[in-house]
Amino acid sequence: MSDQEETLAKSYDPDTIEKTWYDYWQQKGYFRPEFRPEGKPYTITIPPPNVTGELHMGHALQHAIHDSVLRFKRMQGFRTLCLPGTDHAGIGTQMKVEQEIWETEKKTRHDIGRKELLKRIWAWKEKYGSTILRQLRDLGCSYDWSRERFTMDEGYANAVLETFVRFYKKGWIYRGKRMVNWCPQCGTVISDLEVEEHEIQSHLWHIRYPGVDGAPDVVVATTRPETMLGDTGVAVHPSDARWQGAVGKQVMLPLVDKPIPIVADEYADPEMGSGAVKVTPAHDPNDYEVGQRHDLEEILVIGLDGQMTEDAGAYAGQDRYACRKAVVAALEELGLMVKIEDHTHAVPHHDRCGTVIEPMPLEQWFVSMRDLADLILPVLREKQIEYVPDRFREYSIDWLENIRDWCISRQLWWGHRIPVWTCEDCDEVLVSVDSPEVCTSCGSQKLIQDPDVLDTWFSSALWPFATMGWPEETEDLKTYHPTDLMITGRDILYLWVIRMIMTSEEFLGEIPFKTVLVHPTVQTRDGKRMSKSLGTGIDPRELIAAYGADATRLSLLYQCGNSQDIRFDAEVKDNKLQASPIAEMCRNFCNKIWNAARFVHMNMSERDVQDPALRTLPDDVSELADRWILSLYNRTVLQVTQSLDAYRFDEAARGLYDFVWSAYCDWYVEMAKVRLNGNDAKAREQVQSILCVVLEGTLRLMHPIAPFISEALWQTFPHEGDALIVADWPTHDDLWLNDTAEREMAQLQEVVGAVRNIRGTMRIPPGKRVDVVFKTTSSETESILSAAQHYVKELARIETLTIGADVARPSQSASAVVGDTEVFVPLAGVIDLDVERQRLEKEIGGLEKAVGGLEKKLGNDAFLKNAPAEVVETERARQIEYQTTLAKLQENLAILAE
């Protein structure tokens, strides 16, 4: 065994390689921008995952993209910084710790108090809060961990409070009453992003409201009959002729015996039912808007705890769902329930605890958004920030034009406490970053701080610049802001991305990032949302354990195109990965290039693998195979570079895959064996150099997508520099692009493929060499095939090859036509013709019987009428398949009969 062969293990072991090289990169300081101080800065700040989080498929895709871009830019010579960190995730973290306390001590947060709860949350954060960041290391993410930030660390918290104070002084923060999402279980307002719509099978109740003083009776339909206790009106469309005379009159609200007005409002849909809708301003966002337009009373009949309030009258104290049953029973008893229909509809749930949320108008802290929206609308309209794909920029403009004020207060204890104090003696309101000691109005020390905390998205809105030290003017802020790229999912474009642009423009007068890349959503293989509760979630750590980090990254990026959905091909049962064909394909790719590298090492003869001559191409490259592979290699460099520049990761991954698997491994390596095993020393050295140069360049191309295996292999080949992670990105050379070589090689591949197909069809043993005849009328083709016949004979396992225009077709020969060339393979003496005839006749007989049966079945009208459509289609497909196979077998039998 040569020294070169010993440098690589016989098989690719991801576990060993990934641990070894990640530690090496980190120890060398390659992840820090200071490693390349002379380069132009290129900066990314990651979307901070929640401290409660663990790696899921969305994270895996997002960070495969992050790290691929980062490694690509680093190799292009940029001074790269990817700044990581985590979000305190107010409600999620507090819920997790509260649940732990209840399970171990049977105590609530109110039992232990605010101070003790916060102490325990900090302890939990220190123990578990960096789990997801450790998992990102397993994926290979080359982030600057020395700059890791947390949205509750001291400097960041100061930036959050500074923002609140500045907004308040500008009159943008106010306390007011608006419709919000309330979670009765968690006891807090939640954002729209934390609301999940679940399809629920329920009912649609049609209720008659009797007319008052000559007004007509009105039938309204509702999915929430318990809310009728808080109805303060009925709305009809102004153009609905059925209700023209009813507007301004009243109906009697059943069970409450209170007259309520009929109002004309365009919210009512004349096409739906009676055209009339009940209006409950305190319990429905749309009804709230109707109530505002018509000055209708807001009556809260469902309380913050999900129980019916005193305003629910006889139903006070009941759970909202128990009340629903009681209300329905009472209406039926009164004869006012017109009908009950089965009805499936979307019901909003809190994504954390699964509780049905209750919309209600509450006194909360809000940010007035109009001025901030107007500040950044020109930024988006003028395309100062590039959106990829661009349609999301247009969506964002539409959202900004119709923006609503933002509720920023949460009834939690974990988070940035609102910096507002009220004097108990004079009611003076103080807003300050630092806790005031006395009232600035009366001097009293009786100051009470607002108990609420800020919405997590308020602090996240400062992420790109607060992580760099704002409001201080730090060197990092001067050097790395604006950042270059923000990579995110489409679900938080408005709640997060837009708000980051607002705060950056307001406080720094510049955009926070130059490009927003909106990545696809990872779905199940049948196009559904991945869900742990449904047992369809894939844990990417299982993928990494089964297939390696490189194969996992490649499997995601291979599918990451302009579509906004990735259907990840994997078998999952009860959230456990059974198999993933796409990941297996990508692992096979890693094995393929590993084995190709071992082949090159084993065929270096006595040459030192670090010989500088192996880093350069020969002066004279005349062989077709060499001209072809160098042309394809340079074309692949160009294509992969352009694809990565345009964030078309699927095209980059597929281009690499096709070049490595098909061009380099399946064709060039096989063709190289002719010279490697020959007696011409100069030819052997030339092909050795080309094998090394092309493979080394290909490993550099692979590095952003598959960093571990590319580094491990690159280190064993001639190279410049200490590590691939900081090596130069390859550049293509137009001088090597050779259309003629690619066209000629395509002809060679086609004729070789034709011979291989004949061998397979006629069941010629793989190791047996055969005689072959190429008949061509083209002198150019004859010249090409003659010059390359030493390759053709090796690749197609040919004993004697005859090429010409006047050659005759041998008897009993299988044939194929490739362009202007006929391919003949004589079979006499190659296979036992009698045995093959018997086999074909037997197989033909069986297929004829099967085809006859299918024709009879498909000619049966009863079958066509009664069988499911998919069964009929399956049988028709089988019929076509059998007929095609039968025709081919009959053709082969005819050849043997010549």
Side-chain angles (χ1 to χ4, degrees):
M1 181 183 293
S2 68
D3 291 340
Q4 286 82 9
E5 186 178 355
E6 290 178 344
T7 59
L8 285 178
K10 288 186 177 181
S11 59
Y12 170 54
D13 177 14
D15 287 345
T16 303
I17 288 171
E18 289 166 14
K19 182 71 169 67
T20 299
W21 287 108
Y22 197 88
D23 289 347
Y24 173 80
W25 294 327
Q26 199 160 7
Q27 289 165 9
K28 288 288 187 178
Y30 295 142
F31 299 169
R32 292 174 53 77
E34 288 81 3
F35 178 79
R36 185 172 279 145
E38 73 285 354
K40 180 182 177 182
Y42 186 91
T43 312
I44 304 174
T45 56
I46 73 167
N50 294 342
V51 288
T52 57
E54 292 187 351
L55 202 64
H56 58 61
M57 289 299 284
H59 290 134
L61 172 65
Q62 186 177 83
H63 290 280
I65 294 171
H66 271 89
D67 196 52
S68 293
V69 172
L70 192 65
R71 288 176 183 271
F72 174 52
K73 293 298 180 181
R74 187 182 288 121
M75 293 179 72
Q76 287 186 317
F78 287 91
R79 185 181 358 161
T80 54
L81 166 63
C82 187
L83 196 154
T86 49
D87 190 283
H88 64 280
I91 193 166
T93 309
Q94 182 167 318
M95 276 183 60
K96 191 174 283 284
V97 176
E98 283 193 63
Q99 181 181 2
E100 189 177 272
I101 294 170
W102 177 256
E103 289 174 352
T104 57
E105 304 175 38
K106 291 295 181 285
K107 291 181 179 179
T108 69
R109 61 169 159 162
H110 301 289
D111 294 326
I112 66 173
R114 185 169 194 145
K115 184 176 181 180
E116 179 62 21
L117 178 69
L118 292 178
K119 178 181 175 183
R120 298 198 189 188
I121 293 176
W122 275 108
W124 184 94
K125 183 265 176 187
E126 292 305 314
K127 188 173 182 180
Y128 301 108
S130 294
T131 298
I132 192 167
L133 297 184
R134 288 195 296 272
Q135 292 165 351
L136 292 181
R137 289 170 167 87
D138 294 339
L139 194 63
C141 296
S142 56
Y143 303 161
D144 185 352
W145 302 109
S146 70
R147 283 177 165 88
E148 181 183 329
R149 297 301 301 269
F150 175 53
T151 53
M152 288 275 286
D153 66 33
E154 185 177 354
Y156 199 103
N158 181 68
V160 174
L161 301 181
E162 180 71 26
T163 299
F164 186 98
V165 172
R166 292 192 189 189
F167 279 6
Y168 184 85
K169 287 180 178 178
K170 293 195 76 164
W172 289 346
I173 287 183
Y174 66 92
R175 190 159 177 83
K177 193 176 185 182
R178 296 281 187 279
M179 181 63 71
V180 295
N181 303 311
W182 179 263
C183 176
Q185 174 66 33
C186 299
T188 182
V189 172
I190 60 173
S191 70
D192 290 339
L193 186 70
E194 294 163 317
V195 176
E196 278 186 352
E197 300 281 352
H198 295 175
E199 289 290 323
I200 300 295
Q201 292 182 342
S202 182
H203 299 92
L204 193 61
W205 288 272
H206 296 258
I207 307 166
R208 180 165 57 85
Y209 288 13
V212 174
D213 296 334
D217 290 359
V218 176
V219 175
V220 297
T222 181
T223 58
R224 304 185 67 203
E226 69 278 10
T227 64
M228 68 170 289
L229 301 172
D231 284 2
T232 55
V234 170
V236 296
H237 197 277
S239 65
D240 194 337
R242 294 171 295 178
W243 301 106
Q244 290 293 327
V247 175
K249 295 182 179 181
Q250 295 180 316
V251 293
M252 187 62 68
L253 181 61
L255 307 183
V256 180
D257 293 331
K258 171 184 174 182
I260 56 176
I262 301 172
V263 299
D265 195 279
E266 291 186 352
Y267 169 65
D269 185 354
E271 304 298 321
M272 295 290 291
S274 68
V277 294
K278 62 189 282 299
V279 182
T280 321
H283 291 286
D284 183 273
N286 293 312
D287 292 5
Y288 178 78
E289 298 293 336
V290 175
Q292 291 287 300
R293 288 193 287 271
H294 298 278
D295 198 25
L296 299 179
E297 185 182 4
E298 297 168 9
I299 302 176
L300 203 67
V301 294
I302 301 175
L304 301 180
D305 57 358
Q307 307 290 312
M308 305 308 291
T309 68
E310 292 299 319
D311 284 323
Y315 302 93
Q318 292 187 13
D319 172 79
R320 52 183 168 164
Y321 297 112
C323 177
R324 177 179 297 178
K325 293 179 181 179
V327 165
V328 169
L331 291 169
E332 288 178 325
E333 188 175 335
L334 292 170
L336 297 176
M337 185 64 70
V338 177
K339 63 178 177 178
I340 302 174
E341 296 178 308
D342 290 338
H343 181 64
T344 301
H345 64 119
V347 177
H349 290 67
H350 187 185
D351 66 350
R352 294 286 181 181
C353 66
T355 304
V356 174
I357 67 110
E358 197 62 52
M360 56 177 68
L362 294 175
E363 189 88 11
Q364 298 289 316
W365 288 99
F366 291 86
V367 177
S368 175
M369 300 298 287
R370 187 67 267 158
D371 287 349
L372 285 164
D374 290 342
L375 175 68
I376 71 165
L377 270 168
V379 172
L380 269 63
R381 287 176 179 146
E382 296 166 11
K383 298 187 178 182
Q384 295 177 33
I385 297 175
E386 179 188 10
Y387 275 71
V388 182
D390 186 64
R391 64 180 178 273
F392 290 107
R393 183 183 60 84
E394 294 292 341
Y395 297 161
S396 298
I397 290 172
D398 290 342
W399 186 79
L400 285 168
E401 289 174 340
N402 300 283
I403 199 165
R404 309 174 98 176
D405 288 356
W406 172 19
C407 177
I408 58 170
S409 47
R410 298 291 182 268
Q411 290 63 53
L412 301 168
W413 292 350
W414 172 245
H416 302 96
R417 192 167 176 178
I418 291 175
V420 175
W421 289 260
T422 303
C423 178
E424 287 187 284
D425 289 337
C426 71
D427 293 330
E428 179 74 10
V429 174
L430 289 77
V431 179
S432 170
V433 172
D434 300 314
S435 301
E437 295 183 359
V438 297
C439 174
T440 55
S441 179
C442 72
S444 172
Q445 294 182 342
K446 296 179 180 178
L447 302 177
I448 302 297
Q449 186 175 2
D450 193 297
D452 291 351
V453 298
L454 290 164
D455 177 15
T456 296
W457 295 105
F458 187 90
S459 52
S460 298
L462 314 176
W463 184 251
F465 53 91
T467 51
M468 297 183 192
W470 184 88
E472 302 299 323
E473 294 184 6
T474 65
E475 279 303 312
D476 272 9
L477 196 58
K478 293 176 187 175
T479 305
Y480 301 111
H481 196 278
T483 66
D484 290 271
L485 182 63
M486 174 52 64
I487 304 169
T488 184
R490 63 180 181 261
D491 54 340
I492 55 175
L493 280 173
Y494 312 140
L495 292 170
W496 187 46
V497 173
I498 285 293
R499 290 168 180 168
M500 286 189 285
I501 301 172
M502 289 175 172
T503 56
S504 183
E505 284 288 346
E506 169 63 17
F507 297 134
L508 281 77
E510 61 186 19
I511 56 176
F513 25 73
K514 298 165 189 172
T515 301
V516 174
L517 175 62
V518 184
H519 63 70
T521 299
V522 185
Q523 299 178 329
T524 62
R525 60 180 175 180
D526 54 356
K528 296 180 181 177
R529 183 177 67 88
M530 285 192 176
S531 167
K532 283 190 175 181
S533 62
L534 297 176
T536 58
I538 298 175
D539 185 343
R541 290 171 297 173
E542 290 186 27
L543 281 171
I544 293 172
Y547 303 105
D550 285 328
T552 299
R553 291 166 63 121
L554 181 58
S555 67
L556 288 162
L557 296 172
Y558 192 88
Q559 306 172 83
C560 183
N562 290 329
S563 165
Q564 281 305 297
D565 297 315
I566 287 178
R567 295 191 175 189
F568 197 84
D569 189 4
E571 295 175 31
V572 181
K573 184 177 181 181
D574 297 328
N575 291 316
K576 291 294 182 183
L577 178 71
Q578 307 298 307
S580 170
I582 180 70
E584 189 167 335
M585 179 193 84
C586 293
R587 181 188 60 191
N588 292 342
F589 171 79
C590 292
N591 288 335
K592 186 88 167 178
I593 197 165
W594 185 272
N595 290 333
R598 289 191 74 245
F599 168 84
V600 175
H601 274 294
M602 289 187 290
N603 284 277
M604 285 294 104
S605 303
E606 299 304 317
R607 296 182 75 178
D608 180 357
V609 76
Q610 297 300 337
D611 181 353
L614 291 172
R615 291 206 302 263
T616 57
L617 293 171
D619 294 331
D620 178 30
V621 178
S622 57
E623 281 280 335
L624 171 61
D626 298 341
R627 290 183 287 118
W628 169 75
I629 197 65
L630 289 170
S631 181
L632 275 195
Y633 165 72
N634 279 277
R635 208 174 291 285
T636 302
V637 170
L638 179 61
Q639 184 252 311
V640 170
T641 304
Q642 290 176 338
S643 297
L644 290 177
D645 276 332
Y647 311 112
R648 295 193 297 267
F649 302 98
D650 58 334
E651 293 180 11
R654 290 166 192 260
L656 269 170
Y657 185 97
D658 291 343
F659 176 75
V660 169
W661 192 286
S662 179
Y664 189 83
C665 294
D666 282 358
W667 286 97
Y668 188 71
V669 164
E670 293 304 312
M671 296 169 78
K673 291 176 182 177
V674 175
R675 283 175 285 170
L676 290 171
N677 297 329
N679 296 321
D680 187 333
K682 184 178 179 181
R684 184 165 57 250
E685 289 182 3
Q686 177 164 317
V687 77
Q688 287 170 339
S689 293
I690 293 174
L691 280 166
C692 284
V693 168
V694 173
L695 184 55
E696 188 272 341
T698 302
L699 292 170
R700 283 188 280 155
L701 282 182
M702 277 182 59
H703 185 72
I705 294 173
F708 293 110
I709 189 171
S710 57
E711 180 77 77
L713 293 177
W714 184 85
Q715 291 283 346
T716 69
F717 282 96
H719 60 262
E720 293 181 357
D722 294 330
L724 176 56
I725 189 175
V726 289
D728 290 340
W729 182 252
T731 55
H732 82 285
D733 187 342
D734 284 340
L735 293 176
W736 286 110
L737 298 180
N738 192 323
D739 292 337
T740 300
E742 291 181 33
R743 185 180 67 253
E744 292 177 358
M745 185 63 188
Q747 289 179 282
L748 185 150
Q749 289 172 315
E750 286 176 347
V751 296
V752 169
V755 175
R756 287 174 172 175
N757 286 340
I758 290 172
R759 295 181 66 107
T761 302
M762 303 311 299
R763 301 167 71 89
I764 298 172
K768 189 172 185 65
R769 289 188 175 269
V770 297
D771 295 335
V772 174
V773 174
F774 291 158
K775 181 177 182 178
T776 178
T777 57
S778 167
S779 59
E780 180 185 3
T781 301
E782 182 178 348
S783 175
I784 291 169
L785 295 178
S786 296
Q789 63 177 298
H790 53 304
Y791 294 129
V792 176
K793 290 173 71 173
E794 185 63 32
L795 293 169
R797 307 292 292 164
I798 296 173
E799 183 68 35
T800 303
L801 176 61
T802 305
I803 307 171
D806 301 323
V807 295
R809 172 177 179 169
S811 62
Q812 293 180 321
S813 62
S815 66
V817 177
V818 178
D820 54 22
T821 303
E822 291 180 88
V823 178
F824 303 113
V825 179
L827 301 175
V830 175
I831 58 176
D832 189 320
L833 299 181
D834 290 334
V835 170
E836 183 63 12
R837 283 192 199 97
Q838 292 172 15
R839 184 191 70 79
L840 287 171
E841 287 168 352
K842 181 178 180 181
E843 198 169 341
I844 287 169
L847 272 174
E848 286 176 335
K849 184 177 180 181
V851 169
L854 283 170
E855 287 175 346
K856 183 177 180 181
K857 180 185 284 189
L858 291 169
N860 186 330
D861 291 338
F863 170 74
L864 297 176
K865 181 179 179 181
N866 298 322
E870 59 269 21
V871 172
V872 175
E873 285 304 309
T874 299
E875 295 298 88
R876 283 181 175 147
R878 286 177 62 207
Q879 181 186 34
I880 293 170
E881 179 188 347
Y882 288 175
Q883 287 172 338
T884 302
T885 304
L886 179 61
K888 187 64 179 174
L889 292 176
Q890 288 170 336
E891 179 185 333
N892 291 344
L893 183 61
I895 291 170
L896 301 184
E898 293 177 349

